[in-house]
C-alpha cells in the first residue's frame, strides 16, 4: 500500500510511474486525496469539539466548587450537545478512514526506475542466460508422458480424488519431490535463512498484509465458515510473522525460509501450455523471505538472485533470468526477476521462481516498522523469492535428464533421493 504522505507530496510522479504498468492512476489518486482531505477536515473538527468539551468540563467543575450550580448546569447541557456532535464526527471519521483505506488497497506499487515499459510477458527483458540445452533422444517425451511411462506421477488418480490440478506422486516420483524439498531447504539454511514451519491457512488480516487481498481474492481458496484462506505461497504466513512489529535496526537482516504446499484456483487456465505439471491447483514450493533496512534492500535482492542462480547451477539445468516489464509486474512488487528453466521436450521456457523487492508496500499494510538511529519509526522493506517452486523444476529434470535407459537424477540430488536413475 502506498503511503498517503508520499501520494500528497508526489502525486504527479506516482501517476507517471504507474503508467509503466499501463494503469491510469489519476482517478484513483484523486479519490484518495479527496478522502484524505475529508478525513483530515473531520479530524480537525473532532479535535476542536473534544477540546471545547474538555474545557467546559473543567469550567463546570470550578463552578460547582464555587457554588454556582445554576451556571454549571447550563454548561452541562452544552457539553451534552458537544458529546453528541463528537460521536457523530467520530462515526464519520471511521467511515471516511475505512473508505480511504479501501481506495488505497486498489492502487498497485510504484515500479522501480529500472523496470522496463511493456504490456505483456513478451516485453520482459532477458538479462542473463546460463547452461547448455541438452540434445535429447529422438523419442524424447514431455514430462507428463514420462510420468506415465515410469509410473511416478498419476494425474488421473488426482482427478478421481479431488479434481484436475491435484496430481498424485508415486514411488520414486514422491521420493524425488521430498529430495528436492530437503535440498532446497538445506541450501537456504546454508545461506543463513532460518527455517520456519507455518500454517497453511491464514486470516483476512494476513491476506491484506502481503497484498493478496483484495487483489488476488478470486485466485485464493476460501473457507467461509471460518473466514480463512488457503495460502497461495509461504510468503503470506512467513512475512506476516512480523505484522505489527517495531524492530530495531540491529535486527536486520531477517531471513526466513519455509516449505509449504501452495493452493491456487488459477481460474480460466486451459490448453496445452498448462498441461501436466505446468500449472496446478496444489503444488509444493520452498520460499525465501527477507526483511531489510531500506538502504540495503536492493543489495539483498541481488544476493537472492545469486542464491537462486547457484541452486540451478548445481542442478545443471539451463535457465534464464527476466526483468519483468511494468505490464507483467505483480501488484505488490517494485521490481521482479523471473527465473525460467528450459524444457527441452516442450521446447519452451517454464517459470520456476520470482524474486521481488516490495520496498515499503507490504510493510505499510503490515505496519512493520523499525526505529532508526534518531529513534523515529520507519517502514521496513520486504522481499521474497521462490527457492524453488517444485513442479516446473521437476518437469525440467524429467525432460532434460531423460535418456534411452531412463531418467538420470542430478548428481547433487542423489544423496537426498537414495537412487540415481528412474527406469
Amino acid at each position: 500500500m502506498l503511503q498517503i504522505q508520499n501520494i500528497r507530496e508526489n502525486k504527479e510522479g506516482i501517476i507517471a510511474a504507474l503508467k509503466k504498468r499501463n494503469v491510469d492512476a489519476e482517478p484513483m489518486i484523486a479519490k484518495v486525496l479527496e478522502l484524505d482531505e475529508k478525513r483530515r477536515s473531520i479530524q480537525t473538527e473532532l479535535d476542536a469539539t473534544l477540546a471545547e468539551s474538555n474545557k467546559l468540563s473543567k469550567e463546570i467543575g470550578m463552578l460547582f466548587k464555587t457554588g454556582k450550580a445554576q451556571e454549571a448546569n447550563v454548561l452541562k447541557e452544552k457539553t451534552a450537545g458537544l458529546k453528541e456532535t463528537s460521536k457523530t464526527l467520530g462515526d464519520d471519521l471511521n467511515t471516511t478512514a475505512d473508505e480511504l483505506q479501501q481506495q488505497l488497497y486498489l492502487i498497485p506499487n510504484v515500479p522501480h526506475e529500472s523496470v522496463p515499459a511493456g504490456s505483456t510477458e513478451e516485453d520482459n527483458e532477458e538479462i542473463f542466460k546460463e547452461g547448455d540445452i541438452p540434445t535429447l533422444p529422438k523419442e524424447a517425451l514431455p514430462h507428463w508422458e514420462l510420468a506415465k511411462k515410469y509410473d511416478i506421477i498419476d494425474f488421473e488418480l488426482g482427478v478421481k480424488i479431488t479434481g484436475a490440478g491435484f496430481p498424485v506422486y508415486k514411488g520414486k516420483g514422491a521420493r524425488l519431490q521430498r529430495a528436492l524439498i530437503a535440498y532446497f531447504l538445506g541450501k537456504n539454511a546454508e545461506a543463513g535463512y532460518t527455517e520456519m514451519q507455518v500454517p497453511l491457512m491464514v486470516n483476512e488480516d494476513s491476506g491484506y498484509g502481503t497484498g493478496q487481498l483484495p487483489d488476488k481474492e478470486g485466485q485464493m481458496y476460501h473457507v467461509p465458515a471460518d473466514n480463512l484462506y488457503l495460502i497461495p505461497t509461504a510468503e503470506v504466513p512467513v512475512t506476516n510473522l512480523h505484522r505489527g512489529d517495531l524492530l530495531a535496526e540491529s535486527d536486520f537482516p531477517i531471513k526466513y525460509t519455509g516449505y509449504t504446499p501452495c493452493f491456487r484456483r488459477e481460474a480460466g487456465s486451459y490448453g496445452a501450455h498448462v498441461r501436466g505439471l505446468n500449472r496446478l491447483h496444489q503444488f509444493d514450493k520452498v520460499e525465501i523471505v527477507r526483511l531489510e533496512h531500506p538502504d540495503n534492500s536492493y543489495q539483498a535482492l541481488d544476493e537472492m538472485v545469486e542464491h537462486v542462480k547457484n541452486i540451478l547451477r548445481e542442478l545443471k539445468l539451463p535457465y534464464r533470468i527476466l526483468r519483468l516489464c511494468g505490464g507483467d509486474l505483480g501488484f505488490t512488487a517494485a521490481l521482479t526477476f523471473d527465473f525460467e528453466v528450459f524444457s527441452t521436450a516442450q521446447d519452451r521456457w517454464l517459470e520456476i521462481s520470482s524474486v521481488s523487492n516490495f520496498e515499503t508496500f507490504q510493510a505499510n499494510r503490515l505496519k512493520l516498522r523499525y526505529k532508526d538511529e534518531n529513534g523515529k519509526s520507519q517502514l521496513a522493506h520486504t522481499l521474497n523469492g521462490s527457492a524453488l517452486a517444485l513442479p516446473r523444476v521437476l518437469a525440467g529434470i524429467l525432460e532434460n535428464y531423460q535418456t534411452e535407459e531412463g531418467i538420470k537424477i542430478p548428481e547433487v540430488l542423489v544423496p537426498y533421493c537414495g537412487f540415481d536413475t528412474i527406469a
Side-chain angles (χ1 to χ4, degrees):
M1 186 167 67
L2 300 183
Q3 297 176 68
I4 187 65
Q5 183 176 344
N6 190 25
I7 294 175
R8 284 192 216 115
E9 296 172 354
N10 193 26
K11 169 188 168 183
E12 297 303 328
I14 290 171
I15 290 171
L18 288 174
K19 286 181 180 176
K20 266 193 181 179
R21 289 180 172 272
N22 306 303
V23 171
D24 179 9
E26 191 164 358
M28 291 188 287
I29 295 295
K31 184 66 175 175
V32 162
L33 293 175
E34 176 190 329
L35 288 167
D36 179 51
E37 181 61 35
K38 181 180 177 182
R39 178 184 62 83
R40 290 194 289 164
S41 175
I42 295 171
Q43 184 70 66
T44 299
E45 189 176 353
L46 176 59
D47 290 345
T49 302
L50 291 173
E52 177 68 13
S53 181
N54 289 337
K55 179 185 172 187
L56 290 179
S57 293
K58 290 177 183 178
E59 289 182 20
I60 290 167
M62 292 298 296
L63 288 170
F64 274 123
K65 281 183 181 179
T66 56
K68 298 178 181 179
Q70 186 174 353
E71 293 179 41
N73 286 327
V74 171
L75 290 183
K76 280 182 74 175
E77 290 181 15
K78 189 173 182 181
T79 58
L82 288 172
K83 285 180 180 177
E84 189 64 36
T85 299
S86 64
K87 182 182 181 306
T88 301
L89 288 170
D91 290 343
D92 289 347
L93 181 64
N94 290 336
T95 299
T96 304
D98 185 62
E99 288 179 12
L100 175 59
Q101 185 86 343
Q102 295 305 315
Q103 190 65 35
L104 285 167
Y105 282 147
L106 302 178
I107 303 174
N109 201 359
V110 173
H112 186 263
E113 60 185 10
S114 67
V115 171
S119 303
T120 69
E121 60 184 27
E122 302 300 323
D123 300 313
N124 293 335
E125 177 187 353
E126 183 181 297
I127 62 168
F128 189 81
K129 185 187 287 187
E130 188 173 60
D132 297 324
I133 295 173
T135 301
L136 297 183
K138 288 184 179 180
E139 302 302 318
L141 300 171
H143 69 268
W144 54 86
E145 295 293 345
L146 291 167
K148 188 173 184 180
K149 177 179 178 179
Y150 294 108
D151 195 27
I152 54 174
I153 308 172
D154 195 321
F155 295 99
E156 288 75 21
L157 196 54
V159 172
K160 174 184 176 181
I161 297 168
T162 308
F166 296 88
V168 173
Y169 299 87
K170 305 168 66 176
K172 287 186 174 180
R175 289 168 66 185
L176 181 53
Q177 280 278 102
R178 180 157 48 90
L180 282 166
I181 293 165
Y183 167 66
F184 293 153
L185 286 172
K187 291 297 292 182
N188 297 344
E190 287 175 17
Y193 292 87
T194 301
E195 184 176 346
M196 307 294 282
Q197 189 172 35
V198 290
L200 303 184
M201 291 192 288
V202 293
N203 56 31
E204 200 170 67
D205 286 344
S206 294
Y208 275 95
T210 45
Q212 279 67 36
L213 296 176
D215 181 56
K216 297 287 191 299
E217 188 166 8
Q219 295 182 30
M220 296 173 71
Y221 286 98
H222 186 215
V223 184
D226 303 291
N227 197 27
L228 296 175
Y229 293 84
L230 274 71
I231 61 168
T233 167
E235 169 203 347
V236 182
V238 172
T239 310
N240 271 278
L241 292 171
H242 289 283
R243 173 159 44 92
D245 285 0
L246 179 61
L247 305 171
E249 281 190 299
S250 58
D251 292 328
F252 297 122
I254 296 173
K255 301 166 67 175
Y256 293 129
T257 185
Y259 152 69
T260 64
C262 303
F263 305 89
R264 300 183 187 180
R265 295 186 65 242
E266 299 284 11
S269 296
Y270 304 99
H273 68 292
V274 297
R275 196 169 178 187
L277 297 172
N278 289 349
R279 185 158 299 175
L280 302 172
H281 293 306
Q282 178 183 324
F283 62 94
D284 293 322
K285 182 155 68 81
V286 176
E287 197 80 357
I288 51 176
V289 170
R290 292 179 69 148
L291 311 182
E292 293 283 349
H293 189 287
D295 292 347
N296 301 328
S297 70
Y298 278 95
Q299 179 184 332
L301 182 66
D302 290 342
E303 290 174 7
M304 293 167 76
V305 168
E306 287 302 314
H307 177 65
V308 177
K309 277 185 184 179
N310 288 332
I311 292 175
L312 290 168
R313 283 173 182 146
E314 288 193 359
L315 290 172
K316 297 181 180 177
L317 288 170
Y319 71 94
R320 67 177 182 175
I321 304 174
L322 305 175
R323 189 198 316 265
L324 296 194
C325 71
D328 204 30
L329 195 63
F331 185 87
T332 54
L335 176 62
T336 295
F337 295 105
D338 268 8
F339 283 75
E340 296 182 339
V341 67
F342 191 74
S343 166
T344 309
Q346 297 179 68
D347 193 28
R348 58 189 290 256
W349 293 97
L350 303 174
E351 181 198 332
I352 54 168
S353 175
S354 291
V355 183
S356 302
N357 190 345
F358 307 103
E359 297 185 356
T360 60
F361 193 83
Q362 289 183 331
N364 193 28
R365 289 173 172 236
L366 294 160
K367 299 296 178 272
L368 170 54
R369 300 173 184 271
Y370 69 95
K371 277 198 173 182
D372 66 16
E373 57 187 7
N374 300 313
K376 190 175 180 182
S377 293
Q378 306 285 356
L379 290 172
H381 278 197
T382 64
L383 305 91
N384 88 279
S386 308
L388 289 160
L390 270 74
R392 294 171 184 170
V393 171
L394 182 58
I397 290 172
L398 296 179
E399 295 183 5
N400 291 332
Y401 276 84
Q402 64 180 301
T403 69
E404 293 178 355
E405 291 76 38
I407 300 167
K408 297 294 183 183
I409 300 299
E411 186 178 348
V412 73
L413 292 178
V414 172
Y416 296 89
C417 289
F419 56 86
D420 60 11
T421 307
I422 298 174

